[in-house]
Amino acid sequence: MNDPAAPEDRAAQLAANLSRVEERIAAACAASGRDREDVTLIVVTKTHPAHDVRLLAGLGVREVAENRDQDAARKAAECADLPLRWHFVGQLQTNKARSVVRYADHVHSVDRPRLVDALSTAATAAGRQLGCLVQVALDAGSGARGERGGVAPDAVGALADAVAAAEGLRLDGLMTVAPLSGAYAGQPRAAFDRLVEISSRLRETHPAANMVSAGMSQDLDEAVAAGATHVRVGTAVLGVRPRLR
Ligand SMILES: *Cc1c(COP(=O)(O)O)cnc(C)c1O
């Protein structure tokens, strides 16, 4: 998977990896009685070149994600001719909001009021509507933020209300990363069940906020079983990342 491959080999490798991921999603859907169409695969292309994004688009991928604005902005520009939707999934500084709203359709990592304000200002100025997911840190205690971003479960409601009220933003749902520490460490299914529970409560007041973004290469099966609507898969499609971030 790490060997530099000739272009045609790379396309074949991506196609094979994609079909294995597709099989996993389909199997997890079947096992839990869900329709395959209820789960969207987002391919996380961070650290991989724009050429890979182009190959993926040729293989039918329509949703891609990045976690650093500088790389994402460049790749989105290089791939502007492709029918792709860009998701931003990384921790986001407020001074990057103006850039992100130019190419991103969704930001999955909204985790503080200042970021809501910055995204709202930027989206309004750009004349765009940006889909926002509140990132939930299941390992964060009340009042704290997660080590990898996100708000504690008890702060989700207020932040979601702020997104829903903000001009230029649309509240689309919730995102999480399975915690590496705390009560949910090594228990992705329990973590995703908890996220789905928080999502159900959120939808009592925001019925349209029905995206549940959960599951990566290691744990997408558990995420689908728990009810995720969007899985974010990098390594299992693209191979081990060239640079660790
Ligand atoms: C990198 C990343 C992913 C994909 O992780 P893999 O383990 O490579 O599938 C998913 N979500 C977020 C937020 C990420 O940063």
Side-chain angles (χ1 to χ4, degrees):
M1 261 197 190
N2 278 319
D3 298 339
E8 63 277 17
D9 295 347
R10 182 59 172 158
Q13 189 178 67
L14 292 176
N17 291 346
L18 264 180
S19 78
R20 269 193 295 272
V21 167
E22 178 53 42
E23 275 168 32
R24 284 173 64 189
I25 296 172
C29 283
S32 49
R34 301 186 63 195
D35 288 339
R36 172 61 191 89
E37 306 84 73
D38 293 345
V39 179
T40 300
L41 169 64
I42 302 172
V43 179
V44 183
T45 51
K46 64 187 184 198
T47 78
H48 293 281
H51 183 66
D52 280 349
V53 179
R54 191 164 288 280
L55 291 174
L56 289 166
L59 293 166
V61 168
R62 292 294 174 261
E63 316 271 339
V64 293
E66 289 281 329
N67 73 335
R68 285 167 58 105
D69 170 62
Q70 218 182 327
D71 297 340
R74 183 178 43 75
K75 279 189 239 179
E78 280 179 51
C79 296
D81 58 312
L82 302 172
L84 291 170
R85 273 222 279 232
W86 294 82
H87 298 254
F88 192 88
V89 300
Q91 291 186 46
L92 184 55
Q93 295 169 274
T94 51
N95 63 2
K96 300 287 168 54
R98 282 171 70 87
S99 173
V100 167
V101 301
R102 284 192 205 115
Y103 57 84
D105 293 284
H106 293 90
V107 171
H108 291 228
S109 43
V110 175
D111 63 356
R112 57 202 192 279
R114 269 171 48 81
L115 183 57
V116 173
D117 293 344
L119 289 170
S120 173
T121 302
T124 305
R128 295 203 59 181
Q129 187 161 79
L130 181 71
C132 290
L133 289 79
V134 171
Q135 182 180 346
V136 185
L138 293 167
D139 54 347
S142 188
R145 301 247 317 278
E147 233 167 88
R148 299 149 91 190
V151 291
D154 67 356
V156 168
L159 195 59
D161 289 346
V163 171
E167 196 183 343
L169 306 185
R170 186 182 64 239
L171 178 67
D172 280 345
L174 301 179
M175 181 273 244
T176 204
V177 177
L180 297 174
S181 61
Y184 290 107
Q187 315 248 34
R189 178 59 198 268
F192 299 143
D193 282 344
R194 176 89 175 100
L195 182 72
V196 168
E197 207 178 282
I198 299 168
S199 167
S200 304
R201 198 160 332 125
L202 177 70
R203 276 177 287 137
E204 289 170 11
T205 45
H206 300 283
N210 58 7
M211 282 176 69
V212 179
S213 168
M216 321 199 304
S217 294
Q218 297 258 357
D219 51 25
L220 70 91
D221 324 83
E222 285 89 347
V224 171
T229 62
H230 292 70
V231 293
R232 310 176 308 269
V233 181
T235 314
V237 172
L238 288 138
V240 175
R241 280 183 279 280
R243 292 161 284 156
L244 278 181
R245 291 270 165 94

